[in-house]
Amino acid sequence: LLSLGTGTTSEFDKTHTAEETAKWGALQWMLVIQQMTEAASSYMTDYYLSTVFQDLHSQNNYLRVQENALTGTTTKADDTSEANMELLAQVGENLLKKPVSKDNPETYEEALKRFAKLLSDRKKLRANKASY
């Protein structure tokens, strides 16, 4: 299973003072709650799938690809300007060089190549079985 995320921001890395949050209205609090819920849902889905694949001794058959520190215009899903598309392409290129996780030093580039070979090998195996 190749799970492709749409990316997350480092918004939750920011801290706010009590004075700042005291000025927030209902809309600001609703937006914060929505962001937290979406982030938790994405994280929990990844955690659940990762755990299931580990329990089945198939952890090499699951890969989640997601950039977790988007900033600026790259966080805006409706910005299709050429400049933003170039920025997103650069984000993707940089992500390929990053390790999959703290526990897995394999880069995303290496993991995706491994996945592609695995899928190709399985397709060839199915084609060979079908020809009998």
Side-chain angles (χ1 to χ4, degrees):
L1 174 65
L2 178 59
S3 175
L4 299 175
T6 57
T8 61
T9 67
S10 55
E11 182 69 27
F12 296 110
D13 293 339
K14 294 180 184 177
T15 58
H16 300 281
T17 65
E19 291 80 20
E20 288 175 315
T21 58
K23 297 174 187 173
W24 290 358
L27 180 59
Q28 181 66 35
W29 281 109
M30 286 174 51
L31 290 172
V32 168
I33 291 169
Q34 178 187 8
Q35 289 175 342
M36 290 173 63
T37 303
E38 288 172 3
S41 176
S42 175
Y43 172 78
M44 289 307 297
T45 300
D46 177 42
Y47 178 79
Y48 172 74
L49 287 171
S50 177
T51 302
V52 167
F53 276 82
Q54 286 177 11
D55 287 347
L56 296 172
H57 305 288
S58 299
Q59 56 267 29
N60 288 335
N61 294 333
Y62 174 71
L63 177 63
R64 172 74 172 171
V65 178
Q66 174 157 293
E67 174 56 63
N68 292 315
L70 295 176
T71 59
T73 59
T74 61
T75 65
K76 302 190 182 328
D78 60 347
D79 185 348
T80 59
S81 67
E82 187 173 335
N84 198 46
M85 293 296 104
E86 288 175 13
L87 281 173
L88 287 169
Q90 189 60 53
V91 166
E93 291 291 328
N94 293 341
L95 182 60
L96 287 173
K97 305 299 182 211
K98 290 184 177 180
V100 171
S101 70
K102 289 183 261 180
D103 301 330
N104 182 356
E106 179 181 44
T107 66
Y108 281 106
E109 183 174 28
E110 294 164 338
L112 288 167
K113 285 178 181 178
R114 179 180 49 77
F115 244 69
K117 180 167 179 11
L118 179 69
L119 292 172
S120 176
D121 291 348
R122 288 187 181 175
K123 182 178 180 186
K124 289 174 188 174
L125 182 63
R126 282 193 307 271
N128 287 338
K129 285 183 179 181
S131 65
Y132 287 113

